[in-house]
Amino acid sequence: MPTALIRRPSPRLAEGLVTHIERAPVDIGLASTQWQQYVDALHRTGWSTVEVPPIEECPDSVFVEDTMVVYGDLAVIARAGANERRAEAAAAEETVAAQGYEIRRITDPGTLDGGDVLKIGATIYVGQGGRTNAAGIEQLREALAPLGADVRAVPVQKVLHLKSAVTALPDGTVIGYEPLVDDPSAFDSFRSVPEEAGAHVVLLGEDRLLMAASAPRSAELFAELGYTPVVVDISEFEKLEGCVTCLSVRLRR
Ligand SMILES: NC(=O)NCCC[C@H](N)C(=O)O
């Protein structure tokens, strides 16, 4: 059974960072229900989950994807581009190490958020801009190139993270809502989707795509392409620039 790391929301979630959107009040009770529904969707589709111990003092800690990049047997522990989020990494590192992963770390002056890293087979696109800097990308390249990965920097200015702009379908096609993609030509193959949140999919296996309820037209498009959307409402996390990808880290070994 494949495993995903998850992390329970902090009671201070509503104080999470917002950068590119207006702050809107977050309903903590609803967020907690939506988080449970997200976890239930993983379980329903055959995933087991391992919880990273929660960290109350970090409002954004639920966005566990940002703490690491997992490739092969290696977990590269990120160094958050936002100071406020640096403390999230330690417990995430312990949890993934306990799953048997070898550990490397992004170190000063490098910064990198897992949300900036899109892996498509051995091709690894890394968004450079808001949270991830050139030194962080270089350190990731040093860690992953010996494993055969091709790490490619791409610009990110219009949104928080690369994966706020694009993710990929199981066949490797990069999908994005074009007004928010800095450079669609940076990707080997690109297809546009009709909604911002339609650009965010988590591959659950067997052509199932976990996606947000806020992108119904994109879900229809994916269904026409032969995929099965698994839809969850994550409105409270979207208010903090979170999307379906950020709420878990899938472990593939
Ligand atoms: N990977 C992601 O897209 N993470 C979302 C992080 C949102 C959080 N409010 C932040 O600004 O860091």
Side-chain angles (χ1 to χ4, degrees):
M1 189 181 268
T3 302
L5 302 183
I6 50 171
R7 195 173 211 177
R8 216 165 269 281
S10 154
R12 288 179 51 192
L13 175 71
E15 298 164 47
L17 299 170
V18 284
T19 310
H20 294 268
I21 60 175
E22 290 282 306
R23 185 175 289 280
V26 171
D27 179 335
I28 290 283
L30 181 55
S32 157
T33 304
Q34 290 178 345
W35 182 80
Q36 193 56 56
Q37 288 167 346
Y38 178 96
V39 174
D40 290 346
L42 290 175
H43 294 163
R44 226 178 32 244
T45 51
W47 290 74
S48 67
T49 52
V50 172
E51 275 196 48
V52 176
I55 179 164
E56 293 208 356
E57 58 274 29
C58 291
D60 282 310
S61 48
V62 70
F63 303 117
V64 67
E65 161 179 69
D66 292 321
T67 59
M68 68 182 75
V69 178
V70 173
Y71 188 81
D73 292 339
L74 185 65
V76 180
I77 305 303
R79 181 166 179 269
N83 261 322
E84 297 89 328
R85 299 197 58 191
R86 294 258 161 93
E88 294 175 24
E93 174 178 328
E94 277 174 32
T95 307
V96 77
Q99 294 296 309
Y101 282 81
E102 200 188 311
I103 302 292
R104 291 278 294 267
R105 296 186 194 94
I106 301 295
T107 55
D108 192 21
T111 65
L112 183 132
D113 279 12
D116 274 319
V117 180
L118 174 63
K119 296 173 289 183
I120 305 177
T123 303
I124 304 196
Y125 295 103
V126 189
Q128 181 174 344
R131 297 279 177 86
T132 296
N133 66 15
I137 296 175
E138 193 42 45
Q139 291 177 26
L140 188 70
R141 182 176 289 120
E142 279 163 23
L144 301 187
L147 306 178
D150 174 17
V151 173
R152 305 186 194 171
V154 295
V156 175
Q157 296 294 340
K158 298 181 179 175
V159 283
L160 181 64
H161 287 129
L162 177 63
K163 280 188 284 187
S164 321
V166 294
T167 58
L169 293 174
D171 70 358
T173 305
V174 172
I175 49 170
Y177 176 60
E178 245 178 306
L180 298 180
V181 181
D182 285 273
D183 182 11
S185 73
F187 307 104
D188 289 341
S189 74
F190 178 83
R191 175 170 194 138
S192 54
V193 294
E195 296 140 319
E196 179 176 357
H200 314 142
V201 297
V202 174
L203 309 187
L204 294 171
E206 296 173 14
D207 284 341
R208 291 165 307 191
L209 309 177
L210 184 62
M211 52 184 301
S214 52
R217 290 190 292 139
S218 307
E220 238 170 72
L221 171 70
F222 299 145
E224 278 162 21
L225 293 174
Y227 297 109
T228 305
V230 175
V231 176
V232 286
D233 188 348
I234 53 161
S235 64
E236 300 317 288
F237 302 104
E238 289 172 331
K239 290 174 182 171
L240 297 165
E241 290 175 280
C243 46
V244 277
T245 61
C246 359
L247 295 171
S248 58
V249 178
R250 283 158 301 145
L251 307 180
R252 293 155 204 261
R253 51 196 296 267

